[in-house]
């Protein structure tokens, strides 16, 4: 079965441009966790809410991945701003699920991982504004 063959969260390491990239790895692992929790919600027939979390949670990783190939600092910052907005939205859905008696609580590690991602994204956005990364 595919799920059993997948590496665990701690084993996932994406190498982009011959370098290990912390934020890309974290958002990729987070997306896998979101997929698992969304599937759990779908099995409980919570389709609409599962889709909301699925879209915002996976968009974080997609935008940080895409940011690795931007052509300017402005484009890089823009991708991370989108990722930050999507992270805030995912955080909203996770808090809503936790507060509702009609939904299973999200795994604690998914919430912890999201907090870590939000901190990294906000720090990167500040640093990049002051540095020209183009070669």
């Amino acid at each position: 079965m595919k799920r059993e063959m997948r590496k665990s969260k701690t084993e996932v390491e994406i190498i982009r441009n011959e370098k290990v990239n912390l934020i890309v790895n974290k958002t990729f692992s987070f997306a896998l966790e979101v997929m698992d929790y969304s599937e759990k919600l779908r099995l409980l027939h919570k389709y609409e809410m599962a889709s909301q979390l699925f879209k915002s949670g996976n968009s974080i990783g997609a935008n940080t991945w895409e940011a690795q190939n931007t052509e300017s600092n402005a484009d890089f910052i823009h991708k991370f701003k989108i990722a930050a907005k999507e992270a805030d939205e995912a955080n909203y859905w996770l808090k809503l699920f936790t507060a509702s008696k009609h939904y299973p609580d999200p795994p604690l590690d998914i919430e912890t991982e999201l907090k870590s991602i939000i901190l990294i994204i906000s720090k990167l956005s500040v640093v990049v504004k002051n540095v020209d990364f183009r070669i």
Side-chain angles (χ1 to χ4, degrees), residues 4 7-8 10 17 35 50 53 55-56 62 65 67 71 74 79 83 91 96 100 105-106 120-121 123 125:
E4 294 165 352
K7 291 183 177 183
S8 73
T10 56
N17 303 326
M35 290 168 69
L53 177 63
K55 290 175 185 177
S56 61
W65 187 285
E71 295 179 14
K79 293 295 180 195
N91 194 33
L96 192 62
S100 174
D105 285 344
I120 293 168
I121 288 174
K123 297 264 188 223
S125 298

Side-chain angles (χ1 to χ4, degrees), residues 40-69:
K40 183 177 180 181
L41 294 175
R42 284 187 179 93
L43 292 172
L44 297 171
H45 306 287
K46 308 290 187 183
Y47 304 111
E48 294 84 1
M49 300 298 271
S51 292
Q52 292 291 338
L53 177 63
F54 186 88
K55 290 175 185 177
S56 61
N58 282 282
S59 182
I60 302 164
N63 279 288
T64 57
W65 187 285
E66 199 174 327
Q68 307 310 303
N69 297 310

